[in-house]
Amino acid sequence: MNLQVELASRKGSLILANPVMTASGTFSFGLEEGHAFNVQELGAIVTKTVTLRPRSGSPQPRTAETPAGMLNAIGLQNPGVDAVVRKMAPRWSRWRTPVIVSILGATVEEYGELAARLEGVEGVAAVEVNISSPNARRGGMEFGQEPDTAAAVTQAVVRNITLPVIVKLTPNVTDIADVARAVVESGADALCVINTLQAMAIDARSRRPAIASGFAGLSGPAIKPVALRMVYQVAAAVDAPIIGCGGIATGLDAVEFLLAGATAVQVGTATFANPRAPLDVLDGLRRFLDEEGVADIGELIGAAHERRPAESPATS
Amino acid sequence: MKATFARVTENERLYGETHITWFAAPEAVRGAGPGQFVMLRCVEPAAEREPLPATELPVDPLLPRAMSIHRMRQGADGPEWSILYDIVGRGTAWLASRRPGDAVYCWGPLGHGYSLRRASQQLLLVAGGIGVAPLVWLADQAIESEKSVTLVLGGRTAEQIFPATLLPPEVEIVVTTEDGSLGRRGLATEAFVEHLEWCDQAFACGPNAMFEAMAKEQRRSRIRRPVQALLEEGMGCGTGICYGCAIQTRRGMRLVCKDGPRFDLREVF
């Protein structure tokens, strides 16, 4: 059974032994002791988003439970890119599993600077450009909501790094396909679809927002159908590998995203509800392929489309 | 840390509106000490399937609940551990309705618990409301190792006070209630300051307002004693991967689940 997938080939290549990754912000930096599974069995790890300078994040409360999901406004707490390069990357360099560093800048220039600092760092396999966090006062989602700003950020990153570049898109847009096209034309190797949906919860008793910063990002099984639709839509619009993300908790969820056109998947909030979730997704995927007699995972990618994206006529 | 389906062996309302649930799943608390906690999913598994797949658990409510380990005992079929809680929402209401034989998906032990210095002979334990939960196991262990224990039990009313009859008889108990319905009228904080000079080390668990008052009173008293506070904060994961429970401390940002939940009182308040 072949589970290997390729997310980038043009510059530095990014080949994963299997398509299951952790989602940014849901697995810290992968270095905690005592995980419920062996991290080396996953296709890749995506780190918590890293900024140029350290950030202490948002005040409490940062999380709230919602129907079949949760809200978060962590506020990008992280030790800053230099600490990541100095203290964490050397440990990742001894891993079999590739580590993808998520980055976010307050300005286009900061994204470029972050890329430059990660260029050539041993232990970093690729970058995931976060233009989709709804929890950044500056940067993040504000760049991902318009095709031209999304393109500007992508170009700034691509110019400064030879590593593969993944761009993570926001669902909080009018037309995600427009943003996806702009990002791919600007040199992104792959897309991650989607980040959290901007949302809110209000505590009736205290008559105040349930999250200190007011708005927050919605994740978990509640957003899976939205994410699936957007992966399908982006797969029809661009010819670049897509990483599906949003509410994936089982092997069957992963299969659905592959059928919608994703080449790989990220498991996020599910890991809070089940500490073995990423590995359970991988095991479930293997079981599905076995039961269905699928020899190569490539057979599934985009198979739900009436025509495979690659076969679509350029104009219609 | 080990994830498992824990079998409920006993579940009852212990006093007032406070419930206790016992589990036979030693693997979830292996090597644990007082102050450490377990995460529990509050959803019904498909009981007819063995082994029960965690991926097929219902997704609502989604997040696990963090619960201090309350006590250990020897059950009919081996060691058992318990949680002690008030019903405050969907998760705790679900837990309180479990019956013997039911399975609850959980994982632990998690976090850093209380750290007892070998030289400490006289221990002051301060419980605010349901904060008594982790302190009972600490008291059990301290009495077993022949320490002197004073336990301050604070609550709004008598209904919230852990029954003295369920504690080792050697424990010196001081009860304070805000309405004076049991013990002294007043706050646990006042009893804390009065006993501070006596103790070698103090251990507390309760709401943040109690910790704030304790820190303030200790500063005013100028009595230097190490005080450990067991904090509670809204958690997503309980394992240090989501950063939901971060707090500001004098040493920078810390995660309650992974760096705590035990902190030096003065480090935070």
Side-chain angles (χ1 to χ4, degrees):
Chain A
M1 180 189 303
N2 179 32
L3 286 172
Q4 189 173 298
V5 294
E6 186 174 67
L7 291 177
S9 52
R10 281 184 291 181
K11 294 180 292 181
S13 70
L14 182 59
I15 294 167
L16 312 187
N18 68 69
V20 180
M21 327 160 62
T22 59
S24 179
T26 65
F27 205 60
S28 189
F29 294 89
L31 297 167
E32 281 62 37
E33 281 167 34
H35 286 300
F37 60 90
N38 181 0
V39 173
Q40 304 301 320
E41 291 186 44
L42 296 183
I45 303 295
V46 184
T47 70
K48 186 153 178 55
T49 293
V50 173
T51 52
L52 214 43
R53 281 167 292 279
R55 287 181 57 138
S56 56
S58 306
Q60 289 291 345
R62 291 177 168 191
T63 62
E65 193 172 57
T66 56
M70 72 178 288
L71 296 181
N72 90 79
I74 306 301
L76 302 160
Q77 182 184 338
N78 80 94
V81 68
D82 291 339
V84 169
V85 167
R86 215 173 48 242
K87 294 181 196 161
M88 300 179 185
R91 294 173 66 186
W92 297 328
S93 67
R94 295 192 290 269
W95 288 12
R96 184 176 68 209
T97 298
V99 175
I100 299 164
V101 176
S102 169
I103 56 172
L104 180 142
T107 61
V108 172
E109 293 70 32
E110 274 194 24
Y111 279 100
E113 176 66 24
L114 281 159
R117 302 258 185 119
L118 291 166
E119 171 64 7
V121 173
E122 215 175 311
V124 178
V127 292
E128 184 180 88
V129 186
N130 179 348
I131 53 166
S132 42
S133 168
N135 297 327
R137 227 173 318 150
R138 291 178 62 216
M141 190 171 81
E142 70 172 346
F143 291 117
Q145 287 181 311
E146 297 294 338
D148 54 345
T149 47
V153 170
T154 308
Q155 286 160 12
V157 172
V158 169
R159 259 201 307 273
N160 282 295
I161 203 162
T162 57
L163 291 174
V165 174
I166 301 161
V167 177
K168 187 164 182 174
L169 304 184
T170 172
N172 306 301
V173 290
T174 309
D175 187 352
I176 196 168
D178 280 348
V179 180
R181 273 188 289 264
V183 165
V184 170
E185 281 164 15
S186 301
D189 296 278
L191 302 173
C192 177
V193 180
I194 55 177
N195 206 316
T196 55
L197 277 77
Q198 195 169 37
M200 184 175 203
I202 292 178
D203 183 89
R205 300 284 170 197
S206 69
R207 306 185 181 187
R208 299 288 305 155
I211 301 273
S213 50
F215 296 166
L218 176 65
S219 64
I223 73 164
K224 194 188 103 182
V226 177
L228 202 54
R229 182 268 290 180
M230 288 188 153
V231 166
Y232 191 97
Q233 205 176 354
V234 171
V238 300
D239 189 19
I242 296 164
I243 305 162
C245 182
I248 296 170
T250 70
L252 278 184
D253 292 340
V255 169
E256 292 170 24
F257 276 82
L258 296 173
L259 293 171
T263 297
V265 294
Q266 294 181 353
V267 181
T269 301
T271 312
F272 308 158
N274 168 18
R276 281 181 47 91
L279 201 63
D280 282 350
V281 167
L282 178 56
D283 289 345
L285 181 59
R286 278 205 189 95
R287 221 166 25 245
F288 177 88
L289 299 181
D290 193 42
E291 284 165 12
E292 298 277 321
V294 179
D296 191 317
I297 196 155
E299 287 176 38
L300 298 180
I301 297 170
H305 291 254
E306 271 185 51
R307 286 186 187 149
R308 297 288 293 272
E311 296 163 7
S312 304
T315 53
S316 59
Chain B
M1 185 250 286
K2 173 91 180 142
T4 187
F5 282 89
R7 290 279 163 196
V8 173
T9 59
E10 192 185 350
N11 198 5
E12 63 168 329
R13 194 174 60 79
L14 197 63
Y15 60 93
E17 294 304 315
T18 303
H19 295 252
I20 188 168
T21 306
W22 286 94
F23 297 95
E27 63 274 24
V29 298
R30 189 147 290 147
Q36 286 192 280
F37 65 99
V38 171
M39 295 298 271
L40 303 106
R41 281 297 300 286
C42 299
V43 287
E44 199 102 36
E48 69 276 9
R49 296 274 304 271
E50 289 284 350
L52 304 163
T55 49
E56 288 178 25
L57 286 171
V59 294
D60 193 62
L62 181 68
L63 296 176
R65 269 48 173 177
M67 290 278 173
S68 288
I69 303 163
H70 167 56
R71 228 166 185 180
M72 308 289 260
R73 74 177 182 193
Q74 201 55 39
D77 299 312
E80 298 182 358
W81 50 275
S82 62
I83 55 172
L84 185 81
Y85 54 95
D86 293 333
I87 297 179
V88 293
R90 294 172 73 194
T92 43
W94 183 88
L95 284 167
S97 65
R98 292 309 88 203
R99 295 186 178 170
D102 286 352
V104 179
Y105 189 57
C106 63
W107 53 97
L110 301 167
H112 295 91
Y114 291 119
S115 148
L116 181 56
R117 295 181 185 178
R118 199 182 288 269
S120 298
Q121 273 307 317
Q122 309 194 141
L123 312 182
L124 176 59
L125 279 49
V126 183
I130 194 62
V132 69
L135 291 168
V136 174
W137 188 20
L138 182 65
D140 287 344
Q141 282 199 351
I143 293 298
E144 234 171 77
S145 32
E146 300 182 332
K147 313 267 187 195
S148 297
V149 176
T150 297
L151 171 60
V152 177
L153 296 171
R156 277 195 306 277
T157 72
E159 288 248 289
Q160 291 187 321
I161 302 299
F162 192 86
T165 50
L166 298 176
L167 289 162
E170 298 88 345
V171 174
E172 188 84 26
I173 297 167
V174 180
V175 173
T176 67
T177 52
E178 288 172 45
D179 65 358
S181 54
L182 192 68
R184 297 165 41 169
R185 186 191 206 97
L187 297 169
T189 317
E190 295 150 19
F192 159 69
V193 181
E194 286 164 25
H195 290 81
L196 200 49
E197 189 110 56
W198 166 83
C199 78
D200 299 317
Q201 219 186 332
F203 307 87
C205 186
N208 282 352
M210 181 184 96
F211 293 136
E212 274 164 30
M214 284 173 64
K216 197 172 140 199
E217 291 299 321
Q218 186 180 13
R219 271 194 294 271
R220 187 180 295 169
S221 75
R222 294 174 185 273
I223 304 169
R224 287 173 173 270
R225 293 289 183 279
V227 183
Q228 293 178 7
L230 203 72
L231 268 58
E232 180 171 57
E233 194 54 75
M235 286 181 194
C237 66
T239 57
I241 55 174
C242 84
Y243 289 46
C245 64
I247 55 161
Q248 186 77 54
T249 74
R250 296 196 208 291
R251 292 191 206 168
M253 299 302 291
R254 290 288 183 273
L255 300 179
V256 170
C257 71
K258 181 171 77 82
D259 303 316
R262 175 256 299 154
F263 293 89
D264 285 335
L265 182 67
R266 283 183 303 179
E267 196 183 323
V268 185
F269 298 96

